[in-house]
Amino acid sequence: MQKPDADYRPARFSSNAFPERERVSAWRDFFGPTMFGADVEPVGEQPYRQDIVVRPLPGVCLLSATNTPVRFTRSRAMLADGRGDYGLHINSGRSMVRQRGRDVLCGPGEPILVTSAEAASMTSPEASHFLCLHIDRSLLLMNVADPDGCVLQRVPGDSVTLRYLLGYIRFLESTDLTAVDTQIAASVGRHLADLLSLLFGATGDTATLAQRGGLRAARMLAIKRTINESLSEQALGVEHVAVRHGISVRSVQRMFEREGVTFTEYVLNRRLDRAFRMLRDPAHAGMYVIDIALACGFGDLSYFNGCFRRKFGEPPGCFRR
């Protein structure tokens, strides 16, 4: 696994940076061995293309790629590079994974765990978006009794832990980690390691710690996403969110209390922030203040005006452009 940069900035690479006639050789000579620890071989006749984003974090590394049909092969000779990490592979299209003499056909979005300590290959016969979450071998060994026994194991598509893991990954893909300090980066890395550990059988105290760490953080992100997507709904309440995520009302309330805010306060602040942005956005210049209030989930204009003034110091009309 690549060591993370000090500032954890995503590294971006594109095959389009090379002339088409040099593209495949450049990828096979450098990017394949460096990024994947594997040979890269185009499949089919169409011009090869691949765009890669690498997001390094302490103990884990998230790699996402968009590519034309391709085959990755990690030969026995390549094992000399000493890589021994595990990788959770998720392909938006079909893929065939071969390791330990077994062929496993993965459907679109179906995750599978492989190990870079052994020879393997993965073939994607169609253009697809590919995710790989690498985790240091030592981290998984600390949390899962037999990680080698999980290699090539299928993960049920309805797994709650998988849903939260994918949500956490989507958050990372949309977040600029340039200014993240070492402590926060380490926390994010632990959260991802926790979720992978739960996905592959962490039990006892290890599972409890992982649930309090990575699973709790991922669930909170998912709950906040639900809130942000539902701000325009006046009926949005803690009961709605609890049912949506399959947990109790009190559990949702406690999650926000740990952050020093109530559920109601969080929703109110998000609605006011959205209203502020809309008032300042020329694209909404034709909307009346009452229309913006309604669009942000407020059913009472006087209540909206009072809350807005308390938060921003002036009535909404003062912020129109």
Side-chain angles (χ1 to χ4, degrees), residues 102-125:
R102 291 177 55 198
D103 290 318
V104 180
L105 178 62
C106 298
E110 184 176 10
I112 190 167
L113 188 73
V114 300
T115 173
S116 59
E118 302 173 27
S121 68
M122 187 187 77
T123 303
S124 298

Side-chain angles (χ1 to χ4, degrees), residues 48-123:
Y48 181 68
R49 176 174 179 177
Q50 187 168 62
D51 298 303
I52 303 173
V53 182
V54 182
R55 293 176 172 85
L57 291 160
V60 299
C61 184
L62 176 63
L63 186 150
S64 58
T66 301
N67 45 255
T68 52
V70 65
R71 178 180 296 110
F72 301 103
T73 302
R74 182 162 171 78
S75 66
R76 294 186 184 279
M78 290 179 170
L79 302 182
D81 63 12
R83 296 177 186 235
D85 53 314
Y86 295 94
L88 182 71
H89 295 256
I90 308 172
N91 200 323
S92 66
R94 295 174 298 118
S95 60
M96 177 67 76
V97 177
R98 180 174 179 79
Q99 192 164 55
R100 298 179 174 178
R102 291 177 55 198
D103 290 318
V104 180
L105 178 62
C106 298
E110 184 176 10
I112 190 167
L113 188 73
V114 300
T115 173
S116 59
E118 302 173 27
S121 68
M122 187 187 77
T123 303

Side-chain angles (χ1 to χ4, degrees), residues 152-191:
L152 299 185
Q153 179 177 312
R154 296 176 182 273
V155 179
D158 59 354
S159 164
V160 173
T161 302
L162 176 62
R163 187 175 78 239
Y164 284 130
L165 173 61
L166 294 177
Y168 203 110
I169 289 174
R170 285 194 296 271
F171 164 75
L172 292 178
E173 289 186 312
S174 63
T175 302
D176 181 8
L177 297 178
T178 301
V180 169
D181 62 30
T182 301
Q183 185 175 0
I184 294 176
S187 178
V188 172
R190 284 196 302 272
H191 290 163

Side-chain angles (χ1 to χ4, degrees), residues 110 135 205 269:
E110 184 176 10
I135 179 171
D205 291 343
N269 278 305

